[in-house]
Amino acid sequence: MKINASKMATPIEEKVDQNLKTRTGMVMISDGKSKPELARLHLSMEMITIQKQDTTTPAPTPTNATHPPIESKERMVQITRQKVGGLGLSIKGGAEHKLPILISRIYKDQAADATGQLFVGDAIIKVNGEYITACPHDDAVNILRNAGDIVVLTVKHYRAATPFLQKQLSRETPESDNDATCAELKADENWKSVNSSRPVSISSEPENRWIDLVSVPLMMAYVTRYIYGTDKLRPNAFEVRGLNGTTTGIIHCDDLAILSQWLKYITDNVVGLTSLQMKLFNRNFPVGERIEYMGWVNEGVINNHISWQSYKPRFLVLKGTEVMLFDSPPLNVTGLTKANVAYKVYQTMFRVVKESETVDSRQHCFLLQSSGHEPRYLSVETRQELLRIENSWNAAIVTSVIKLGRKTFAVSHHGKTGGLTLDWQAGFSLTEGADAAVIWQYKFSQLRGSSDDGKSKLKLHFQDHETRTIETKVHEMELECHVLQSLLFCMHAFLTAKVASVDPTFLSSIQQA
C-alpha cells in the first residue's frame, strides 16, 4: 500500500447526525500567494468551514523522549522528510503481534525530532489519513517509507510502553529485531497491567477539538478552479466565495480523486440550495413567468488591444421570456427586476462553443447573442453545468414562445409593404395591404430551408403538402426585412420550441422540472 503524502488531502469522512450529513477531510489552505498550511474542511448542507486543530500538545522541546504528553489523546503531527535520515524515527509492533505501531526511537536533530511533537511510546494510528492499525510491521514500514516528502501522522501516546522502549534503547537492541522486542513488551508487567493481555485497540475516533477559521454559506455560492478573473486553471485547487463576501481561500488537494469528490459534494450542495431558493421565488410568479435556471457563469471581456481577455463572474437567470445577467445574485423578488443585462429569450441565440473554437484555455463555453447587441462569451466550470443551462434554455424557449404566441415583422414582398407573422398555432403567414390580406401561409413543419444575405434579404423554401415537392418560385418566398437578425432569431426560437414541444423525452423532463 503506497500513499503519496506530499499530497496532503485525506479521504473524506462522512457522518450522519439526525439525518443531517456532514463531511470532513484534511486539505491545504493558502491565500494564493503564501505557502499552503494544513487545515480541515468541514462541509454541511448549508456551509463550508475551514478549521484548524485546537491542540493541547506541549510546546516543542529539544528532547522529545523526556516530555511525552500527559493525556493520551490523538494528535496530528506534520513531518517534512529529510534527504538524509528520512523521517528520523524507528517503529516496533504490528498487527501480527496484536500490538500497535509504536515509535521506538527518535533520532536526534532529524525530522521527527525537529517537530518537537513526537515521542517514544507514541502509537501511529494514521499516515496521511489512512488507518494503519491493522497493518503488519513490514507493511507499516513500507507505508512510512513511501509516504512522500510531507507526512501527516495521527498518533496517540501509550505511557505504559514508554519505559520499556526507553529501556530497550539503553540496551541498544537491534532495530531489526522486532519479534523479540514485541515478545518482551507483551511480557512486560507495566504493559500487561494496562492492557490485561487483550489486543490493543487504537482505532477509536479522534478526540481532537477543531476551531472554525472561516465559514462560507453555500446558498448561491461561487465555486471555481480558475485563478480569479483569468482563464488559468489552478492545478489541483479550488475556491469557494459566499454571498456575504467571505472566501475559503485557495483549497489545495493534490489527490485528483479526492479533489473531484470535494468539488462534486460542494457543487451538489450549492445547486440544491440554489434550486430551493428558485422554488421559493417561483411561488410569486405565474407559470409563464417562472425561473428555469439560476447559477454562476463567467463572462469573457475581450480587449482588442491585448492578446488575453479577463473574466468576470456573472449570475445568470432564465425567467419567463427573459435571460438576465447580474453582477451579484438577486436576494429577493425585487432584486430580480434589477438585472445588469436583460434580453428576450425568443430574440436571443444560444450556442455551445466547440472545444476547437474556444478563444483561450477556458472550457465549457457558450455564446449568447441578442439582436442588435454584441455576442456575449460565457463559460461554466463543468460540462454538467453547461448541459443544465442548455436544457433550461430549451425549456425557456418553449415557455417564452408559448407566452408570446405570435410575432409580426414588417417586410416588403415584390416591392409591397407587408407583414410576416410567426404564429405558435398557425405557422408562417404573409399579409399585405391595409386589409392585411393573407398572401400565403405555411405550417412550421413545411419549412425545408432558408437563406439570407446577412443584411436584409431572406428566402424561405416550403414544401407543398399535396405534391411534397419544394416550390421553385423563389420570388413568392423572397422577403426583405430591415431587422433581419431579429427576425431570424425569433424564427429560430419558434422552430426550436416546436421541435422541443413534440419531443416526449423533452416534455417529460419539463414536467418533472
Side-chain angles (χ1 to χ4, degrees), residues 270-345:
V270 171
V271 170
L273 290 169
T274 303
S275 297
L276 177 61
Q277 183 61 53
M278 191 168 72
K279 291 178 181 178
L280 293 175
F281 281 157
N282 282 340
R283 291 179 180 179
N284 300 281
F285 306 117
V287 174
E289 296 180 13
R290 290 180 181 170
I291 301 170
E292 293 285 352
Y293 175 87
M294 294 198 313
W296 284 101
V297 298
N298 284 274
E299 181 175 10
V301 183
I302 300 174
N303 191 327
N304 294 326
H305 301 294
I306 51 180
S307 59
W308 53 270
Q309 63 182 15
S310 60
Y311 281 85
K312 183 176 182 180
R314 297 279 202 171
F315 197 76
L316 177 70
V317 176
L318 285 170
K319 177 185 177 298
T321 61
E322 290 188 313
V323 53
M324 298 176 282
L325 291 170
F326 297 80
D327 285 340
S328 59
L331 301 179
N332 48 46
V333 174
T334 303
L336 287 166
T337 64
K338 300 179 180 179
N340 299 88
V341 176
Y343 300 140
K344 292 297 182 184
V345 172

Coordinates of all heavy atoms in Angstrom, one line a residue, residues 270-345:
V270 N -24.5 23.4 -3.4 CA -24.8 24.8 -3.9 C -26.0 24.7 -4.9 O -26.9 25.5 -4.8 CB -23.6 25.3 -4.7 CG1 -24.0 26.6 -5.4 CG2 -22.4 25.6 -3.7
V271 N -26.0 23.7 -5.8 CA -27.1 23.6 -6.7 C -28.4 23.3 -6.0 O -29.5 23.8 -6.3 CB -26.8 22.4 -7.7 CG1 -28.0 22.1 -8.6 CG2 -25.6 22.9 -8.6
G272 N -28.3 22.4 -5.0 CA -29.5 22.1 -4.2 C -30.1 23.3 -3.5 O -31.3 23.5 -3.5
L273 N -29.3 24.1 -2.8 CA -29.7 25.3 -2.1 C -30.3 26.3 -3.1 O -31.3 27.0 -2.8 CB -28.6 25.8 -1.3 CG -28.2 25.0 -0.1 CD1 -26.9 25.5 0.5 CD2 -29.3 25.0 1.0
T274 N -29.6 26.5 -4.2 CA -30.0 27.5 -5.2 C -31.3 27.0 -5.8 O -32.2 27.9 -6.1 CB -28.9 27.6 -6.4 OG1 -27.7 28.0 -5.8 CG2 -29.3 28.7 -7.4
S275 N -31.5 25.7 -6.1 CA -32.8 25.3 -6.6 C -33.9 25.5 -5.6 O -35.1 25.9 -6.0 CB -32.7 23.8 -6.9 OG -31.8 23.5 -7.9
L276 N -33.6 25.3 -4.3 CA -34.6 25.6 -3.3 C -35.0 27.1 -3.3 O -36.2 27.5 -3.2 CB -34.0 25.3 -1.9 CG -34.9 25.5 -0.7 CD1 -36.2 24.8 -0.8 CD2 -34.2 25.2 0.6
Q277 N -34.0 28.0 -3.4 CA -34.3 29.4 -3.5 C -35.1 29.7 -4.7 O -36.0 30.6 -4.7 CB -33.0 30.2 -3.5 CG -33.2 31.7 -3.5 CD -33.9 32.2 -2.2 OE1 -33.5 31.9 -1.1 NE2 -34.9 33.0 -2.4
M278 N -34.8 29.1 -5.8 CA -35.6 29.3 -7.1 C -37.0 28.9 -6.9 O -37.9 29.6 -7.4 CB -34.9 28.4 -8.2 CG -35.4 28.7 -9.6 SD -34.4 27.9 -10.8 CE -34.9 26.2 -10.6
K279 N -37.3 27.8 -6.2 CA -38.7 27.4 -6.0 C -39.4 28.4 -5.1 O -40.6 28.7 -5.3 CB -38.7 26.0 -5.3 CG -38.3 24.9 -6.2 CD -38.3 23.6 -5.5 CE -37.8 22.4 -6.5 NZ -37.8 21.1 -5.8
L280 N -38.7 29.0 -4.1 CA -39.3 30.0 -3.2 C -39.6 31.2 -4.1 O -40.7 31.8 -3.9 CB -38.3 30.3 -2.1 CG -38.1 29.2 -1.1 CD1 -37.0 29.7 -0.1 CD2 -39.4 28.8 -0.3
F281 N -38.7 31.6 -4.9 CA -39.0 32.8 -5.8 C -40.3 32.5 -6.7 O -41.1 33.4 -6.9 CB -37.8 33.1 -6.7 CG -36.7 33.8 -6.1 CD1 -35.4 33.8 -6.6 CD2 -36.9 34.7 -5.0 CE1 -34.4 34.5 -6.0 CE2 -35.9 35.4 -4.4 CZ -34.6 35.3 -4.9
N282 N -40.3 31.3 -7.2 CA -41.4 30.9 -8.2 C -42.8 30.9 -7.6 O -43.8 30.9 -8.3 CB -41.1 29.6 -8.9 CG -40.0 29.7 -10.0 OD1 -39.8 30.8 -10.5 ND2 -39.4 28.6 -10.3
R283 N -42.9 30.9 -6.3 CA -44.2 31.0 -5.6 C -44.9 32.3 -5.9 O -46.1 32.4 -5.8 CB -44.1 30.8 -4.1 CG -43.7 29.4 -3.7 CD -43.5 29.4 -2.2 NE -43.2 28.0 -1.7 CZ -43.0 27.7 -0.4 NH1 -43.1 28.7 0.5 NH2 -42.6 26.5 -0.1
N284 N -44.1 33.3 -6.3 CA -44.6 34.6 -6.6 C -45.0 34.9 -8.0 O -45.4 36.0 -8.4 CB -43.6 35.7 -6.1 CG -43.2 35.6 -4.7 OD1 -43.9 36.0 -3.8 ND2 -42.0 35.0 -4.4
F285 N -44.7 33.9 -8.9 CA -44.9 34.1 -10.3 C -45.9 33.1 -10.9 O -45.9 31.9 -10.5 CB -43.6 34.1 -11.1 CG -42.5 35.0 -10.5 CD1 -41.4 34.4 -10.0 CD2 -42.7 36.3 -10.5 CE1 -40.4 35.3 -9.4 CE2 -41.8 37.2 -10.0 CZ -40.6 36.6 -9.4
P286 N -46.7 33.5 -11.9 CA -47.5 32.5 -12.7 C -46.6 31.6 -13.5 O -45.4 31.9 -13.7 CB -48.4 33.4 -13.6 CG -47.6 34.7 -13.7 CD -46.9 34.9 -12.4
V287 N -47.1 30.6 -14.1 CA -46.4 29.6 -14.8 C -45.5 30.2 -15.9 O -44.3 29.9 -16.0 CB -47.3 28.5 -15.5 CG1 -46.5 27.6 -16.3 CG2 -48.0 27.8 -14.4
G288 N -46.0 31.1 -16.7 CA -45.2 31.6 -17.9 C -44.1 32.6 -17.5 O -43.3 33.0 -18.3
E289 N -44.0 32.9 -16.2 CA -43.0 33.9 -15.7 C -42.0 33.3 -14.7 O -41.3 34.1 -14.1 CB -43.7 35.1 -15.1 CG -44.6 35.9 -16.1 CD -45.3 37.1 -15.5 OE1 -44.9 37.5 -14.3 OE2 -46.2 37.7 -16.1
R290 N -42.1 32.0 -14.6 CA -41.2 31.4 -13.5 C -39.8 31.3 -14.0 O -39.4 31.3 -15.2 CB -41.8 30.1 -13.2 CG -43.1 30.2 -12.4 CD -43.7 28.8 -12.0 NE -44.9 29.0 -11.3 CZ -45.7 28.0 -11.0 NH1 -45.5 26.8 -11.4 NH2 -46.8 28.3 -10.3
I291 N -38.9 31.1 -13.0 CA -37.5 30.9 -13.2 C -37.2 29.5 -13.7 O -37.6 28.5 -13.0 CB -36.7 31.3 -12.0 CG1 -37.0 32.7 -11.6 CG2 -35.2 31.1 -12.2 CD1 -36.4 33.1 -10.2
E292 N -36.4 29.3 -14.7 CA -36.0 28.0 -15.2 C -34.6 27.7 -14.7 O -34.2 26.5 -14.5 CB -36.0 27.9 -16.7 CG -37.4 28.0 -17.4 CD -38.2 26.7 -17.2 OE1 -37.6 25.7 -16.8 OE2 -39.4 26.7 -17.6
Y293 N -33.8 28.7 -14.5 CA -32.4 28.4 -14.1 C -31.8 29.6 -13.4 O -32.1 30.8 -13.7 CB -31.5 28.2 -15.4 CG -30.0 28.0 -15.1 CD1 -29.5 26.8 -14.7 CD2 -29.2 29.1 -15.1 CE1 -28.2 26.6 -14.4 CE2 -27.8 29.0 -14.8 CZ -27.3 27.7 -14.5 OH -26.0 27.6 -14.2
M294 N -31.0 29.3 -12.4 CA -30.1 30.3 -11.7 C -28.8 29.7 -11.4 O -28.7 28.6 -11.0 CB -30.8 30.8 -10.4 CG -32.1 31.5 -10.5 SD -32.5 32.4 -9.0 CE -32.2 31.2 -7.7
G295 N -27.7 30.5 -11.7 CA -26.4 30.0 -11.4 C -25.3 30.9 -11.9 O -25.5 31.8 -12.7
W296 N -24.1 30.6 -11.4 CA -22.9 31.4 -11.8 C -22.4 31.0 -13.2 O -22.3 29.8 -13.5 CB -21.8 31.3 -10.8 CG -22.1 32.1 -9.5 CD1 -22.5 31.6 -8.3 CD2 -21.9 33.5 -9.3 NE1 -22.7 32.6 -7.4 CE2 -22.3 33.8 -8.0 CE3 -21.6 34.6 -10.1 CZ2 -22.3 35.1 -7.5 CZ3 -21.5 35.9 -9.6 CH2 -21.9 36.1 -8.3
V297 N -22.0 32.0 -13.9 CA -21.2 31.8 -15.2 C -20.0 32.8 -15.1 O -20.0 33.7 -14.2 CB -22.1 32.1 -16.4 CG1 -23.2 31.1 -16.5 CG2 -22.6 33.5 -16.5
N298 N -19.1 32.7 -16.1 CA -18.1 33.7 -16.2 C -18.1 34.3 -17.6 O -18.1 33.6 -18.6 CB -16.7 33.1 -15.9 CG -16.5 32.8 -14.5 OD1 -16.0 33.7 -13.7 ND2 -16.8 31.6 -14.0
E299 N -18.1 35.6 -17.7 CA -18.2 36.3 -19.0 C -16.8 36.8 -19.4 O -16.1 37.5 -18.6 CB -19.1 37.5 -18.9 CG -19.2 38.2 -20.3 CD -20.3 39.3 -20.3 OE1 -20.8 39.7 -19.2 OE2 -20.5 39.8 -21.4
G300 N -16.4 36.4 -20.6 CA -15.1 36.9 -21.1 C -15.2 38.3 -21.6 O -16.1 38.7 -22.4
V301 N -14.3 39.2 -21.1 CA -14.3 40.6 -21.5 C -13.1 40.7 -22.5 O -12.0 40.8 -22.1 CB -14.1 41.5 -20.3 CG1 -14.2 43.0 -20.7 CG2 -15.2 41.3 -19.3
I302 N -13.5 40.7 -23.8 CA -12.4 40.7 -24.8 C -11.9 42.1 -25.0 O -12.6 43.1 -25.1 CB -13.0 40.2 -26.1 CG1 -13.5 38.7 -25.9 CG2 -11.9 40.2 -27.2 CD1 -14.2 38.1 -27.1
N303 N -10.6 42.3 -25.0 CA -9.9 43.5 -25.3 C -9.1 43.4 -26.5 O -8.2 42.6 -26.6 CB -9.0 43.9 -24.1 CG -8.5 45.3 -24.1 OD1 -8.2 45.8 -25.2 ND2 -8.3 45.9 -23.0
N304 N -9.4 44.2 -27.5 CA -8.7 44.1 -28.8 C -7.3 44.6 -28.8 O -6.5 44.3 -29.7 CB -9.5 44.9 -29.9 CG -10.9 44.3 -30.1 OD1 -11.1 43.1 -30.1 ND2 -11.9 45.2 -30.4
H305 N -6.9 45.3 -27.7 CA -5.6 45.9 -27.7 C -4.5 44.9 -27.1 O -3.4 45.2 -27.2 CB -5.6 47.2 -26.9 CG -6.5 48.2 -27.5 ND1 -6.3 48.8 -28.7 CD2 -7.7 48.7 -27.0 CE1 -7.3 49.6 -29.0 NE2 -8.2 49.6 -28.0
I306 N -5.0 43.9 -26.4 CA -4.1 42.9 -25.8 C -4.5 41.5 -26.2 O -5.6 41.3 -26.7 CB -4.1 43.1 -24.2 CG1 -5.5 43.0 -23.7 CG2 -3.4 44.4 -23.8 CD1 -5.6 43.2 -22.2
S307 N -3.5 40.6 -26.0 CA -3.7 39.3 -26.5 C -4.5 38.3 -25.6 O -4.6 37.2 -25.9 CB -2.3 38.6 -26.8 OG -1.6 38.6 -25.6
W308 N -4.9 38.8 -24.4 CA -5.6 38.0 -23.5 C -6.9 38.7 -23.1 O -7.1 39.9 -23.4 CB -4.8 37.7 -22.2 CG -4.3 38.9 -21.6 CD1 -3.1 39.5 -21.8 CD2 -4.9 39.7 -20.5 NE1 -2.9 40.6 -21.0 CE2 -4.0 40.8 -20.2 CE3 -6.1 39.6 -19.9 CZ2 -4.4 41.7 -19.3 CZ3 -6.4 40.5 -18.9 CH2 -5.5 41.6 -18.6
Q309 N -7.8 38.0 -22.5 CA -9.0 38.6 -22.0 C -9.2 38.2 -20.6 O -8.7 37.2 -20.1 CB -10.2 38.1 -22.8 CG -10.5 36.6 -22.8 CD -11.6 36.2 -23.7 OE1 -12.1 37.0 -24.5 NE2 -12.2 35.0 -23.4
S310 N -10.0 39.1 -19.9 CA -10.3 38.8 -18.4 C -11.7 38.3 -18.3 O -12.5 38.4 -19.3 CB -10.1 40.1 -17.6 OG -11.0 41.1 -18.1
Y311 N -12.0 37.7 -17.2 CA -13.3 37.1 -16.9 C -13.9 37.7 -15.7 O -13.2 38.0 -14.7 CB -13.2 35.6 -16.8 CG -13.1 34.8 -18.1 CD1 -11.8 34.7 -18.7 CD2 -14.2 34.4 -18.7 CE1 -11.7 34.0 -19.9 CE2 -14.1 33.7 -19.9 CZ -12.8 33.5 -20.5 OH -12.7 32.9 -21.7
K312 N -15.2 37.9 -15.8 CA -16.0 38.5 -14.7 C -17.1 37.5 -14.3 O -17.9 37.1 -15.2 CB -16.5 39.8 -15.1 CG -17.3 40.5 -14.0 CD -17.7 41.9 -14.4 CE -18.4 42.6 -13.2 NZ -18.9 44.0 -13.6
P313 N -17.2 37.2 -13.0 CA -18.3 36.3 -12.6 C -19.7 37.0 -12.8 O -19.8 38.2 -12.5 CB -18.1 36.1 -11.1 CG -16.7 36.4 -10.9 CD -16.3 37.5 -11.9
R314 N -20.6 36.3 -13.4 CA -22.0 36.8 -13.6 C -23.0 35.8 -13.1 O -22.7 34.6 -13.3 CB -22.2 37.1 -15.1 CG -21.3 38.1 -15.8 CD -21.8 39.5 -15.5 NE -21.3 40.5 -16.4 CZ -21.7 41.8 -16.5 NH1 -22.6 42.2 -15.7 NH2 -21.2 42.6 -17.4
F315 N -24.1 36.3 -12.6 CA -25.1 35.4 -12.2 C -26.2 35.4 -13.2 O -26.8 36.4 -13.5 CB -25.7 35.8 -10.8 CG -26.4 34.8 -10.1 CD1 -25.8 33.7 -9.4 CD2 -27.8 34.8 -10.1 CE1 -26.5 32.7 -8.8 CE2 -28.5 33.8 -9.4 CZ -27.9 32.8 -8.8
L316 N -26.4 34.2 -13.8 CA -27.3 34.0 -14.9 C -28.7 33.6 -14.4 O -28.8 32.6 -13.6 CB -26.8 33.0 -15.9 CG -27.6 32.6 -17.1 CD1 -27.7 33.8 -18.1 CD2 -27.1 31.4 -17.9
V317 N -29.7 34.2 -14.9 CA -31.1 33.8 -14.6 C -31.9 33.7 -15.8 O -31.9 34.6 -16.7 CB -31.8 34.9 -13.6 CG1 -33.2 34.5 -13.3 CG2 -31.0 35.0 -12.3
L318 N -32.6 32.6 -16.0 CA -33.6 32.4 -17.1 C -35.0 32.5 -16.5 O -35.3 31.6 -15.7 CB -33.4 31.1 -17.8 CG -32.2 31.0 -18.7 CD1 -32.0 29.5 -19.2 CD2 -32.4 31.8 -20.0
K319 N -35.7 33.5 -16.8 CA -37.0 33.7 -16.1 C -38.1 34.1 -17.2 O -37.9 35.2 -17.9 CB -36.9 34.8 -15.1 CG -38.3 35.1 -14.4 CD -38.1 36.2 -13.4 CE -39.5 36.6 -12.8 NZ -40.5 37.1 -13.8
G320 N -39.1 33.3 -17.3 CA -40.2 33.7 -18.3 C -39.6 33.9 -19.7 O -39.1 33.0 -20.3
T321 N -39.8 35.1 -20.2 CA -39.3 35.4 -21.6 C -38.0 36.0 -21.6 O -37.5 36.5 -22.7 CB -40.4 36.3 -22.3 OG1 -40.4 37.5 -21.6 CG2 -41.7 35.6 -22.3
E322 N -37.3 36.1 -20.5 CA -36.1 36.9 -20.4 C -34.9 36.1 -19.9 O -35.0 35.1 -19.1 CB -36.2 38.1 -19.5 CG -37.1 39.2 -20.0 CD -37.1 40.4 -19.2 OE1 -37.2 40.3 -18.0 OE2 -37.0 41.5 -19.7
V323 N -33.7 36.4 -20.4 CA -32.4 35.9 -19.9 C -31.7 37.1 -19.3 O -31.6 38.1 -20.0 CB -31.6 35.2 -21.0 CG1 -31.4 36.1 -22.2 CG2 -30.2 34.8 -20.4
M324 N -31.3 37.0 -18.1 CA -30.7 38.1 -17.4 C -29.3 37.8 -16.8 O -29.1 36.7 -16.4 CB -31.7 38.5 -16.2 CG -33.0 39.0 -16.7 SD -34.2 39.4 -15.4 CE -34.7 37.7 -14.9
L325 N -28.5 38.8 -16.7 CA -27.2 38.7 -16.1 C -27.1 39.7 -15.0 O -27.4 40.9 -15.2 CB -26.1 38.9 -17.1 CG -25.9 37.8 -18.2 CD1 -24.9 38.3 -19.3 CD2 -25.4 36.5 -17.6
F326 N -26.6 39.3 -13.8 CA -26.5 40.1 -12.6 C -25.0 40.1 -12.2 O -24.3 39.1 -12.4 CB -27.3 39.6 -11.5 CG -28.8 39.6 -11.7 CD1 -29.4 38.6 -12.4 CD2 -29.6 40.6 -11.2 CE1 -30.8 38.6 -12.6 CE2 -31.0 40.6 -11.4 CZ -31.6 39.6 -12.1
D327 N -24.6 41.2 -11.6 CA -23.2 41.2 -11.0 C -23.2 40.4 -9.7 O -22.2 39.8 -9.4 CB -22.8 42.7 -10.7 CG -22.4 43.4 -12.0 OD1 -22.1 42.7 -13.0 OD2 -22.4 44.6 -12.0
S328 N -24.3 40.4 -9.0 CA -24.4 39.6 -7.8 C -25.8 39.0 -7.8 O -26.8 39.6 -8.4 CB -24.2 40.4 -6.6 OG -25.1 41.5 -6.5
P329 N -26.0 37.8 -7.2 CA -27.3 37.2 -7.2 C -28.4 38.0 -6.6 O -28.2 38.7 -5.6 CB -27.1 35.9 -6.4 CG -25.6 35.7 -6.4 CD -25.0 37.0 -6.5
P330 N -29.6 38.0 -7.1 CA -30.8 38.7 -6.5 C -31.2 38.0 -5.2 O -31.3 36.7 -5.2 CB -31.9 38.6 -7.6 CG -31.5 37.3 -8.4 CD -30.0 37.3 -8.4
L331 N -31.4 38.7 -4.2 CA -31.7 38.2 -2.9 C -33.2 38.1 -2.6 O -33.6 37.4 -1.7 CB -31.0 39.0 -1.8 CG -29.5 39.1 -1.9 CD1 -28.9 39.9 -0.8 CD2 -28.8 37.7 -1.9
N332 N -34.0 38.8 -3.4 CA -35.4 38.8 -3.3 C -36.1 39.0 -4.6 O -35.4 39.2 -5.6 CB -35.9 39.8 -2.2 CG -35.2 41.2 -2.5 OD1 -35.2 41.7 -3.6 ND2 -34.7 41.8 -1.5
V333 N -37.4 39.0 -4.6 CA -38.2 39.2 -5.8 C -37.9 40.5 -6.5 O -37.8 40.6 -7.7 CB -39.7 39.0 -5.6 CG1 -40.5 39.3 -6.8 CG2 -40.0 37.6 -5.1
T334 N -37.8 41.6 -5.6 CA -37.5 42.9 -6.2 C -36.1 42.9 -6.9 O -35.9 43.5 -7.9 CB -37.5 43.9 -5.0 OG1 -38.7 43.9 -4.4 CG2 -37.2 45.3 -5.6
G335 N -35.2 42.1 -6.3 CA -33.8 42.1 -6.9 C -33.8 41.5 -8.3 O -33.0 41.8 -9.1
L336 N -34.8 40.7 -8.6 CA -34.9 40.1 -10.0 C -35.3 41.1 -11.0 O -35.1 40.9 -12.2 CB -36.0 39.0 -10.0 CG -35.6 37.7 -9.3 CD1 -36.8 36.8 -9.1 CD2 -34.6 36.9 -10.1
T337 N -35.7 42.3 -10.7 CA -36.1 43.4 -11.6 C -34.9 44.3 -11.9 O -35.0 45.2 -12.6 CB -37.2 44.2 -11.1 OG1 -36.8 44.9 -9.9 CG2 -38.4 43.3 -10.8
K338 N -33.7 44.0 -11.3 CA -32.6 44.9 -11.3 C -31.4 44.3 -12.0 O -30.2 44.4 -11.6 CB -32.2 45.4 -9.9 CG -33.3 46.1 -9.2 CD -32.9 46.6 -7.8 CE -34.1 47.3 -7.1 NZ -33.7 47.7 -5.7
A339 N -31.7 43.6 -13.1 CA -30.6 42.9 -13.8 C -29.7 43.9 -14.5 O -30.1 45.0 -15.0 CB -31.2 42.0 -14.9
N340 N -28.4 43.6 -14.6 CA -27.5 44.5 -15.4 C -27.7 44.4 -16.9 O -27.5 45.3 -17.6 CB -26.0 44.1 -15.0 CG -25.7 44.3 -13.5 OD1 -25.9 43.4 -12.7 ND2 -25.3 45.5 -13.2
V341 N -28.1 43.2 -17.3 CA -28.3 42.9 -18.7 C -29.6 42.0 -18.8 O -29.7 41.1 -18.0 CB -27.2 42.1 -19.4 CG1 -27.5 41.8 -20.8 CG2 -25.9 43.0 -19.3
A342 N -30.5 42.4 -19.7 CA -31.7 41.5 -19.9 C -32.0 41.5 -21.4 O -32.1 42.5 -22.1 CB -32.9 42.1 -19.1
Y343 N -32.2 40.3 -21.9 CA -32.6 40.1 -23.3 C -33.9 39.2 -23.3 O -34.1 38.4 -22.4 CB -31.5 39.3 -24.1 CG -30.2 40.0 -24.2 CD1 -29.0 39.3 -24.0 CD2 -30.1 41.4 -24.4 CE1 -27.8 39.9 -24.1 CE2 -28.8 42.0 -24.4 CZ -27.7 41.2 -24.3 OH -26.4 41.8 -24.4
K344 N -34.6 39.3 -24.4 CA -35.8 38.5 -24.6 C -35.2 37.1 -25.2 O -34.4 37.1 -26.1 CB -36.7 39.0 -25.7 CG -37.5 40.3 -25.2 CD -38.3 40.0 -24.0 CE -39.1 41.2 -23.5 NZ -39.9 40.9 -22.3
V345 N -35.7 36.0 -24.6 CA -35.2 34.7 -24.9 C -35.5 34.4 -26.4 O -34.6 33.9 -27.1 CB -35.8 33.6 -24.0 CG1 -35.5 32.2 -24.5 CG2 -35.3 33.8 -22.6

